[in-house]
Amino acid sequence: MRFVFLLLALVSLVGAVRADQVAELAKIHIEAIGGMKRIEKLTSLRATGLSGIAGKPPVRFTLTAARPAKIRLETEAKGRTLVQGFDGDEPAWEFDTGTWPPQYRLMADATAKTFVADAEFDDPLVGAEKRGFILEYAGELEQKGRKLIRILVTRKLQETYAVLLDEQTFFIVARIDQRTTAGGRKMEVTTHYEDFRPVEGVLLPHLITVAVDGKPSQQTKIARIDPNPPLTDETFSRPKKVTVPGVRPADGK
């Protein structure tokens, strides 16, 4: 019985050490990307660039984001624009100029779930506890000659994914998600982050590559990030009506 109590105490001690280790890694990461003061001053951003799916020509995009989880994404190709938004409160919405009649409709559930999950402005190691994230140390691994630290992230007790921290730079260089398609197929989605550049003193990735089950799926090249652009509540909120020149609404008003 004494051995059992000793074993339980040892397990608890290891858990506490690992928790302290993750907390220390998070502090180092925050300092490595610019420090908390600079991070807090960067309350919003607007990024522009090109994004392409494997085998298809890239499309132009403009992404506007604000703390804590507001996002608006506009993609343009062949004269057609898709606008998607989430204001952090109401359901995610979208507007496709190629659809007639035009309307600001709610996103499909599966699309909205992923869109909202990716809307967090700060990475999970920044203010994790206050934001409802649980961090767990999950060991180390080596990829392409560099050592990476694996940290499990549980978001508000609803989903779990892993981030990989470079042991030299302490940048988050990858995120690994286990997702299920609408058809029920399980897949591993890995997002790689590269080309870190300062934005108001905060180092942010400008090259993002997504791989599904190890195969490249999408690549995003950010040409420019404007810090703290002028925003309004309407930037992220779903408009109530669409006005089309020459077309009267159904109610005649």
Side-chain angles (χ1 to χ4, degrees), residues 22-177:
V22 172
E24 187 61 29
L25 289 171
K27 289 180 181 178
I28 297 173
H29 165 72
I30 290 170
E31 290 303 316
I33 63 173
M36 188 57 77
K37 289 185 178 180
R38 290 191 179 99
I39 292 172
E40 290 176 343
K41 287 182 179 179
L42 185 65
T43 59
S44 61
L45 58 83
R46 179 169 288 127
T48 55
L50 295 174
S51 183
I53 297 175
K56 296 184 179 180
V59 299
R60 296 186 179 278
F61 76 89
T62 299
L63 183 145
T64 306
R67 189 176 286 120
K70 298 180 180 182
I71 189 170
R72 178 189 179 102
L73 176 62
E74 301 176 36
T75 52
E76 179 184 351
K78 298 181 180 180
R80 180 177 181 176
T81 302
L82 174 65
V83 183
Q84 299 172 298
F86 176 60
D87 65 2
D89 185 24
E90 297 295 325
W93 55 273
E94 61 184 9
F95 172 64
D96 188 346
T97 61
T99 301
W100 190 264
Q103 59 177 317
Y104 289 90
R105 61 179 180 265
L106 297 180
M107 281 188 197
D109 290 343
T111 304
K113 183 178 180 180
T114 301
F115 191 77
V116 171
D118 293 339
E120 291 281 348
F121 185 79
D122 295 299
D123 75 56
L125 302 190
V126 177
E129 187 175 352
K130 292 181 180 179
R131 294 162 58 207
F133 289 89
I134 298 174
L135 307 178
E136 298 177 84
Y137 176 79
E140 299 180 5
L141 64 151
E142 188 170 324
Q143 287 185 356
K144 297 180 180 180
R146 64 177 177 179
K147 293 183 179 179
L148 304 175
I149 303 167
R150 184 183 177 96
I151 298 175
L152 290 181
V153 180
T154 301
R155 179 180 179 272
K156 300 178 180 178
L157 301 179
Q158 295 178 351
E159 63 172 332
T160 299
Y161 57 89
V163 295
L164 301 182
L165 205 64
D166 188 293
E167 196 175 62
Q168 291 187 343
T169 65
F170 289 94
F171 298 164
I172 292 177
V173 295
R175 167 175 165 164
I176 304 172
D177 291 88

Side-chain angles (χ1 to χ4, degrees), residues 31-34 42 123 171 196-206:
E31 290 303 316
I33 63 173
L42 185 65
D123 75 56
F171 298 164
F196 288 81
R197 305 180 202 170
V199 179
E200 287 292 277
V202 180
L203 290 165
L204 298 177
H206 284 61

Side-chain angles (χ1 to χ4, degrees), residues 173-191:
V173 295
R175 167 175 165 164
I176 304 172
D177 291 88
Q178 303 295 330
R179 295 181 179 176
T180 304
T181 66
R185 183 175 73 87
K186 293 184 178 181
M187 58 185 183
E188 182 178 270
V189 180
T190 304
T191 306

